[in-house]
Every structure is written in C-alpha cells, then in structure tokens.
Amino acid sequence: MTLPALATTFLLAITLCYAGVCAANPFGRCRKCRGFGFAMTTDRKGRAKRGKHCRRCDGHGIRIRRGRHLWNLWARTYRNGTAAPKNPASKG
C-alpha cells in the first residue's frame, strides 16, 4: 500500500471515529474547569477549595463538541432551506 493511500485511510478512520463519538456522546467535559463547573484554588494552608464559577461552560461542566456543533449548524441550514413555505401563494 502506498503512503498516500495509507494516510488517506488513516485520516478517514479518525474522522469516522470522531463522528461516532459526536453522535453517541454530543457533550464533552469543559477543558477549562475539567468538568467541575468551577475552578479549583487553594487556601493559605494549601488545601483545595472551590474557586470561581466557570464562564466557559456556565458552571455545568460540559460543553458541546465541535463536530456536533457543526452538524447542528448544517442540519438547521438544511431544514430552513428545504422547508415548505408557511403561506403558499394561491394559484389563480
């Protein structure tokens, strides 16, 4: 197998696996707060304590994956483009 064919097969496999992950689990952990919903800080004694509310995920700890977000945008555009008109013009 030639190198370009191998690279294409590898990239196709990675893409299909990521599409499967986005379909099965559309939400992933927030990268900023690591899924806690808040930042971890330490007090003066070095003990861990709850920090500020995470603004990126709004304190939920999960965010929609990029692939799922792109799929939602494409699906919404497709639905809006192929929808039947609400008030069709009357013939006559």
Side-chain angles (χ1 to χ4, degrees), residues 19-68:
V21 167
C22 289
N25 189 8
F27 296 99
R29 292 186 338 177
C30 178
R31 291 184 307 274
K32 185 172 183 180
C33 65
R34 295 187 206 109
F36 287 124
F38 52 87
M40 293 295 292
T41 59
T42 56
D43 60 2
R44 289 187 205 173
K45 295 181 181 180
R47 293 180 296 199
K49 70 174 193 172
R50 183 182 179 122
K52 293 182 180 180
H53 182 79
C54 181
R55 296 185 315 175
R56 182 178 287 182
C57 66
D58 196 29
H60 296 286
I62 57 173
R63 296 193 62 196
I64 194 161
R65 294 185 192 274
R66 289 183 186 137
R68 185 59 183 223

Side-chain angles (χ1 to χ4, degrees), residues 83-91:
K86 293 182 181 178
N87 296 325
S90 61
K91 295 181 181 178

Side-chain angles (χ1 to χ4, degrees), residues 3 9-10 16-17 19 37-38 40 44 55 59 67 69 72 91-92:
L3 188 60
T9 305
F10 182 69
L16 290 176
C17 288
F38 52 87
M40 293 295 292
R44 289 187 205 173
R55 296 185 315 175
H69 180 70
N72 290 346
K91 295 181 181 178

